[in-house]
Amino acid sequence: MGCCESREKTPQKSENSQDKNQTFREGLENLESVKNETLQDKLRHIEELETSSLWKLMFKQKNIEVYQIPSSKYSSEFPVARTKVVFEGIIPFKKLVEKINNPQKRLKWDKMFSQIEVLEGNPMHESILRSVVNSLGYKGEYLTKKNIGYYKDSVTIVEYSIEDPRFPLNKNCTRGNIHFAVTKVYCTEQKTYLVFYNQVDPNTKLVKVYPNFISRSLKNWSINLSDSVNKDIKV
């Protein structure tokens, strides 16, 4: 797997490989392997979807690709989107994880969200979140659980909707359902990859009127993420 050997595998003895291992795992040494069965089920299903021939390219620009597939085992009504962003060189995984999981940092580049609130836990480990999306005329709220861990050769972030009576719906929003939102970060051949998979029921008629609503949103999402990371790299 190139420079990113799985955490469970024995590291290569090459000094150069050890230096790279230290670079991309720096700051995330305390992360554990994904053991929760719910999380593993979602990750295994993504691996199954990857083998499908039904993926359709929706957008491509330089280092970004957005694909869509009609459904998953969790829902046949909503498409699954896959977004891949490629960065040159070995970027510390913590930098990318913080871009996704740190609410303050994410709100600076992710224009889909107007609010991300950590209700419980640690966003760099396991947390419960309330997020408000305001994109393309749609305003929706999501109550989710998010976990971070190692899975095979990647750092993975798994997020999915939950129900919790402690956190009632905001009256000004429609509550949507995230079947899964999975981010995988890995590196190979002197490049760092961030691949994002999600299947969302926004609970809005916009999806029926605009069936590519999610993929269209992810086009801007991926461009903003790429620009934000590359800007940090140049500083």
Side-chain angles (χ1 to χ4, degrees):
M1 300 300 296
C3 65
C4 293
E5 293 299 328
S6 170
R7 195 180 191 213
E8 289 76 24
K9 295 181 180 180
T10 303
Q12 296 180 2
K13 294 183 179 181
S14 165
E15 182 178 349
N16 190 39
S17 296
Q18 290 177 355
D19 289 343
K20 291 177 183 176
N21 184 73
Q22 178 64 28
T23 297
F24 66 73
R25 296 203 188 277
E26 185 175 354
L28 298 176
E29 295 88 352
N30 293 329
L31 283 187
E32 298 181 354
S33 297
V34 174
K35 298 177 182 178
N36 181 282
E37 182 56 33
T38 298
L39 306 181
Q40 288 189 353
D41 182 73
K42 296 181 186 300
L43 292 169
R44 286 194 296 264
H45 186 50
I46 283 175
E47 291 176 327
E48 294 170 358
L49 291 177
E50 280 285 11
T51 65
S52 173
S53 61
L54 298 178
W55 289 101
K56 179 181 178 181
L57 180 64
M58 308 298 292
F59 171 75
K60 184 173 183 179
Q61 175 181 302
K62 296 181 180 179
N63 62 323
I64 297 169
E65 295 177 356
V66 179
Y67 292 84
Q68 185 169 291
I69 198 171
S71 64
S72 80
K73 74 174 187 177
Y74 300 108
S75 174
S76 60
E77 298 182 39
F78 301 96
V80 178
R82 179 183 69 195
T83 305
K84 181 168 70 173
V85 186
V86 184
F87 301 96
E88 294 295 330
I90 309 303
I91 300 175
F93 288 1
K94 184 180 179 182
K95 182 183 290 293
L96 296 177
V97 169
E98 287 180 335
K99 285 286 184 184
I100 301 296
N101 275 37
N102 183 301
Q104 289 73 33
K105 292 185 177 182
R106 182 156 183 173
L107 287 171
K108 289 181 179 179
W109 65 266
D110 193 340
K111 304 307 178 183
M112 285 200 298
F113 288 99
S114 59
Q115 179 184 347
I116 302 175
E117 180 184 2
V118 179
L119 301 174
E120 185 174 282
N122 179 354
M124 291 300 290
H125 179 58
E126 178 178 291
S127 58
I128 294 177
L129 306 172
R130 176 188 282 122
S131 306
V132 178
V133 172
N134 199 339
S135 176
L136 302 178
Y138 163 72
K139 187 174 183 179
E141 179 186 271
Y142 296 87
L143 181 66
T144 59
K145 175 172 276 191
K146 182 180 283 191
N147 300 75
I148 309 176
Y150 289 109
Y151 183 75
K152 297 186 177 179
D153 63 348
S154 305
V155 171
T156 63
I157 304 169
V158 183
E159 184 175 12
Y160 56 95
S161 286
I162 61 171
E163 295 184 5
D164 193 319
R166 296 177 297 167
F167 311 118
L169 172 66
N170 187 324
K171 294 181 180 180
N172 297 321
C173 296
T174 298
R175 181 164 287 180
N177 179 43
I178 297 178
H179 294 288
F180 59 84
V182 174
T183 305
K184 296 173 65 176
V185 182
Y186 62 95
C187 65
T188 182
E189 297 179 354
Q190 292 299 312
K191 293 183 179 181
T192 303
Y193 294 80
L194 186 148
V195 187
F196 178 62
Y197 309 79
N198 74 329
Q199 186 178 36
V200 179
D201 171 7
N203 193 17
T204 173
K205 294 180 180 179
L206 280 174
V207 174
K208 294 183 178 179
V209 178
Y210 303 107
N212 299 328
F213 172 75
I214 299 297
S215 295
R216 182 181 173 186
S217 298
L218 285 172
K219 168 187 173 182
N220 296 327
W221 182 91
S222 56
I223 292 172
N224 291 339
L225 171 61
S226 177
D227 288 348
S228 179
V229 172
N230 286 322
K231 181 179 178 181
D232 287 353
I233 292 173
K234 294 178 180 178
V235 173

